[in-house]
Amino acid sequence: MTDTDYRIHGTTGEWEVVIGLEVHAQVTSNAKLFSGAATVFGAEPNTQVSLVDAAMPGMLPVPNRECIRQAVRTGMAIDATINRWSRFDRKNYFYADLPQGYQISQLYHPLVGEGHVDVTPDEKNPDAIKRIGVERIHVEQDAGKLMHDQHPTRSYVDLNRSGVALMEIVSRPDMRSPAEAGAYLTKLRAILRYVGSCDGNMDQGSMRADVNVSVRKPGEELGTRTETKNVNSIRFVMQTVEYEAKRQVEVLEAGGAIEQETRLFNPDTGTTRTMRSKEDAHDYRYFPDPDLLPLELDEAFVNECRASLPELPDAKRRRYEDAGVTPYNAGVLTAEVETARWFDALLDAGAAAGPASNWVTGELFGALNRSGKDIAASPVTPANAAALLALVADGTLSGSLAKQVFEVMLETGQDPAAIVEERGLKQTSDTGAIEAVIADVLAKNPGQLEQYRAGKVALFGFFVGQTMKAMAGKANPGVVNELLKKALG
């Protein structure tokens, strides 16, 4: 999809949508950003709170090295500038779930500078790549959570999330359609999961997006934007863009003005509503945090971060394509890190990339979808899958026999060679046995034989099918075709 493909058609003409995303990704680490408290999802309220997280008097924050390391690795994965010198600031505001009365963040000197994410908005057109700029990644601590459903007249505070390390990944306003926003968030999530810096579980709140949307007539200056907070699924982000863009066009065409404000998305209705007027940086009275020294990264630390990076989605996709995988299959196989790891293990076990990719995206994915399992829970191991494909490649199994063996593998997890041996499913290339069956088939179908010899050559497939049926699918199809041609004259 190009920038010109998506337009809002209003009564006064076409409108262009301008989108930027601020993604909050919870850092995968052993503890919170400035304390040693745990960060396990689903823990009982207020059971993962240190004295630092609760802002007890005299408590001082100490940066968690692993959180900084993961943010640096994430920056490297999007080809971003790594700032060797960065600083923490205090963002001052007062709310019941923020015990300090401020949030420790980075405004003026973030840890990571400019980078980019290349996306494919339309998977059917994998060559149409768009580059989305990333302005910065800064690290900050999360606030707690207010719970309004525990008591009829009171709200309770859960501080388990207070102090949890977040990376705020701020894109440039480079997206122009819901599809581009969805593609960007999908790709960014994949990168984070490959790197291991965030688990990307949006349903658990460990990754969420603030969606900035404005509209303008094509070619004009940027319009006033709104920010829809804490959208927690890729589909909802796309719905937010679509609804908010249309709403803004309606307001402007009715003679109104768009207010810079913070909004909330309602997933039940697919609509947004006003939450509060949008604050500017000066409203938060930012200033350098006096309890924290600036972060200075030495060469050894930066080099270790770079050396620890895995093969990333784009590089893996290119490698698969070079090995004979179609661009579409390569995109499917690299979309989720678990799938790519499984496929790599399949290749390591000796499977040929092209046929293996077709089998995984067809047979295996179909079976897993029917059983409601993901690839990590597949009862068929990569080693056994490679063994099954090898039996097809060497002629031991025909395609139909391979399907039968695969069904047994799904049920039992057995080695395919053992299944073939136990159940007598080996394909035969015994020409004598096949010739005898062919003779019997021709004898039983004199009418079709006469029609074939009279010129109805399409009946050749009928004779192949009858022969394979008579041999319970165990005959080598190539041998059957060759011997049938001889027998039919």
Side-chain angles (χ1 to χ4, degrees), residues 86-419:
S86 62
R87 189 186 72 196
F88 288 106
D89 303 299
R90 286 189 183 180
K91 179 181 180 180
N92 296 275
Y93 65 97
F94 295 94
Y95 208 62
D97 63 5
L98 192 70
Q100 293 163 307
Y102 59 84
Q103 178 189 30
I104 301 176
S105 183
Q106 294 183 311
L107 176 66
Y108 299 110
H109 300 281
L111 182 63
V112 177
E114 293 190 4
H116 63 264
V117 175
D118 291 334
V119 304
T120 308
D122 182 3
E123 279 296 336
K124 294 178 181 177
N125 186 12
D127 294 328
I129 295 172
K130 175 156 185 181
R131 176 159 290 185
I132 308 298
V134 172
E135 184 178 297
R136 58 192 277 139
I137 301 177
H138 61 260
V139 290
E140 63 184 20
Q141 56 179 178
D142 205 355
K145 178 183 177 182
L146 285 177
M147 305 171 73
H148 304 293
D149 57 354
Q150 306 295 304
H151 191 277
T153 60
R154 298 177 182 176
S155 291
Y156 292 129
V157 180
D158 177 12
L159 293 182
N160 277 352
R161 289 197 64 84
S162 178
V164 163
L166 301 177
M167 295 178 286
E168 182 167 341
I169 305 166
V170 183
S171 85
R172 293 202 172 278
D174 290 345
M175 290 160 272
R176 297 291 180 270
S177 71
E180 288 186 1
Y184 168 78
L185 198 53
T186 299
K187 183 66 169 291
L188 181 61
R189 178 178 179 272
I191 291 171
L192 294 174
R193 285 166 57 79
Y194 270 74
V195 170
S197 57
C198 175
D199 62 26
N201 293 334
M202 299 186 76
D203 57 331
Q204 296 180 0
S206 58
M207 183 175 168
R208 53 194 192 266
D210 297 342
V211 186
N212 292 280
V213 177
S214 66
V215 296
R216 65 181 178 187
K217 289 295 180 70
E220 292 188 358
E221 294 294 313
L222 291 174
T224 302
R225 65 184 171 89
T226 62
E227 180 183 40
T228 304
K229 297 285 287 185
N230 294 329
V231 184
N232 67 349
S233 89
I234 294 168
R235 180 167 60 90
F236 292 163
V237 165
M238 295 171 71
Q239 288 181 1
T240 296
V241 171
E242 191 165 0
Y243 174 82
E244 188 59 19
K246 289 179 179 177
R247 184 192 71 82
Q248 290 184 19
V249 168
E250 290 175 2
V251 169
L252 292 170
E253 292 193 327
I258 301 301
E259 295 184 20
Q260 184 174 328
E261 62 179 353
T262 299
R263 299 178 70 85
L264 288 177
F265 176 74
N266 184 332
D268 295 325
T269 61
T271 60
T272 66
R273 63 175 175 83
T274 298
M275 179 184 179
R276 61 174 182 263
S277 61
K278 175 65 180 171
E279 299 88 349
D280 291 313
H282 62 78
D283 294 319
Y284 291 114
R285 304 185 318 283
Y286 281 96
F287 63 85
D289 193 296
D291 292 335
L292 288 161
L293 292 170
L295 290 173
E296 296 187 19
L297 309 182
D298 61 29
E299 197 70 24
F301 179 81
V302 172
N303 290 340
E304 186 277 325
C305 289
R306 194 175 302 280
S308 72
L309 287 178
E311 184 181 39
L312 295 169
D314 286 347
K316 194 177 289 289
R317 185 170 182 164
R318 287 191 294 271
R319 175 165 63 84
Y320 289 170
E321 290 181 20
D322 290 344
V325 177
T326 65
Y328 177 80
N329 279 356
V332 172
L333 292 168
T334 56
E336 291 288 346
V337 66
E338 290 88 355
T339 302
R341 287 172 180 161
W342 201 97
F343 188 68
D344 277 339
L346 180 60
L347 297 183
D348 290 342
S357 70
N358 292 331
W359 183 83
V360 169
T361 57
E363 295 292 329
L364 181 62
F365 280 3
L368 293 175
N369 287 338
R370 289 192 295 273
S371 62
K373 294 178 180 176
D374 59 31
I375 200 162
S378 170
V380 177
T381 66
N384 280 350
L388 175 64
L389 293 170
L391 291 174
V392 174
D394 69 12
T396 302
L397 293 177
S398 64
S400 60
L401 287 175
K403 290 180 187 294
Q404 293 180 48
V405 173
F406 179 52
E407 289 299 324
V408 179
M409 292 169 70
L410 287 168
E411 292 175 12
T412 66
Q414 269 184 290
D415 174 84
I419 297 170

